[in-house]
Amino acid sequence: MGTRRRAPFRSSLALGCALAALGALPRPACAQDQAGLNTHVPSNDLLDLCVNLGVTWIRIDANWFEMNPARGRYEWTEIDRVVDGARSRGLRVFMTLAYTPAWVARVARTRTDTATLNDEPAASAEWSAFVTEAVRRYRPRGVTHYGMWNEPNLDQFWESAAGVDPYVDKILVPGATAVRAVCTDCTVLAPDLAHLGSYDTFLSRVLTRAASSIDILAHHIYQGWPETGSTG
């Protein structure tokens, strides 16, 4: 999940500031716009390449199903390597948290495919616990920016018959609450939509219902991909 292609991104800090100034977001998180690279779970060689390219931020995948494979059990080794390696190289980390583990109870599926990591959890307690533990571990390692899921407007990353509202109620709001309860200087990024299909309808609903849960608006624009049509 979450593997489309590595792509350069511009830090969303400037966009977040602009939206805050317009009243779309409640509190500014302003900083100089900086270049970054979407690296997923980068090798040490790729971290070195990021330094050579002159980027200052990397976006990484911190997958719930891999880091919390069983209730009460956490596997931090690989993400520790990435975060510590980034910090030692002077890179800042935007950590996206996402994807449902097999042990978490989930809403009945609406499709017949075999993918399950995109399933809507039945409740938010397990997600909140994971976010809490992730922030507790990685804030002391210098990570202050946390994304709440990846591209929930696409079925392949978020399967829910009700779409937007379960994402807001079970992921965004409780996730942001968990981040802020642990870390007063951390930043919540969302909803990390793909610039495809009816993303504007999804985004409007998120902002109407939960703008106060977002510090920086994150959005994915893909060169050469159609901007209209159904999600999937």
Side-chain angles (χ1 to χ4, degrees), residues 216-227:
I216 296 176
L217 180 66
H219 189 73
H220 303 170
I221 297 176
Y222 296 103
Q223 183 178 4
W225 286 56
E227 296 182 7

Side-chain angles (χ1 to χ4, degrees), residues 8-211:
F9 69 88
R10 297 293 292 178
S11 170
S12 300
L13 296 174
L15 178 58
C17 292
L19 288 167
L22 293 171
L25 295 179
R27 53 190 191 127
C30 302
Q32 183 179 357
D33 189 30
Q34 299 174 34
L37 192 70
N38 183 26
T39 61
H40 300 298
V41 183
S43 66
N44 293 336
D45 287 343
L46 181 53
L47 292 175
D48 289 336
L49 179 60
C50 289
V51 174
N52 292 338
L53 288 172
V55 302
T56 53
W57 284 81
I58 59 170
R59 178 176 181 259
I60 69 169
D61 298 336
N63 293 325
W64 183 15
F65 70 94
E66 292 177 326
M67 297 167 66
N68 185 195
R71 186 182 299 276
R73 181 162 68 90
Y74 296 92
E75 300 289 347
W76 306 115
T77 303
E78 184 66 356
I79 301 303
D80 282 358
R81 176 192 63 78
V82 172
V83 169
D84 293 345
R87 187 177 185 184
S88 70
R89 291 166 172 82
L91 298 169
R92 298 195 66 184
V93 173
F94 161 23
M95 178 180 287
T96 295
L97 308 171
Y99 309 132
T100 312
W103 61 271
V104 172
R106 57 201 66 208
V107 172
R109 307 190 78 248
T110 60
R111 298 190 302 178
T112 58
D113 63 28
T114 59
T116 59
L117 302 178
N118 57 349
D119 286 355
E120 175 192 339
S124 60
E126 294 89 349
W127 166 252
S128 294
F130 166 66
V131 173
T132 297
E133 292 305 315
V135 177
R136 281 178 177 164
R137 186 164 189 90
Y138 293 112
R139 177 59 189 93
R141 285 175 151 86
V143 180
T144 56
H145 288 60
Y146 296 90
M148 298 293 103
W149 217 263
N150 173 65
E151 300 186 351
N153 61 319
L154 299 187
D155 292 343
Q156 69 192 87
F157 298 124
W158 174 252
E159 182 188 348
S160 170
V164 183
D165 287 340
Y167 166 73
V168 171
D169 294 335
K170 294 180 179 179
I171 301 299
L172 175 55
V173 172
T177 299
V179 171
R180 292 168 180 171
V182 176
C183 177
T184 59
D185 67 343
C186 284
T187 299
V188 175
L189 293 91
D192 268 320
L193 301 184
H195 199 77
L196 304 169
S198 301
Y199 70 87
D200 53 337
T201 302
F202 196 109
L203 177 60
S204 177
R205 181 66 173 169
V206 170
L207 292 178
T208 297
R209 294 204 53 221

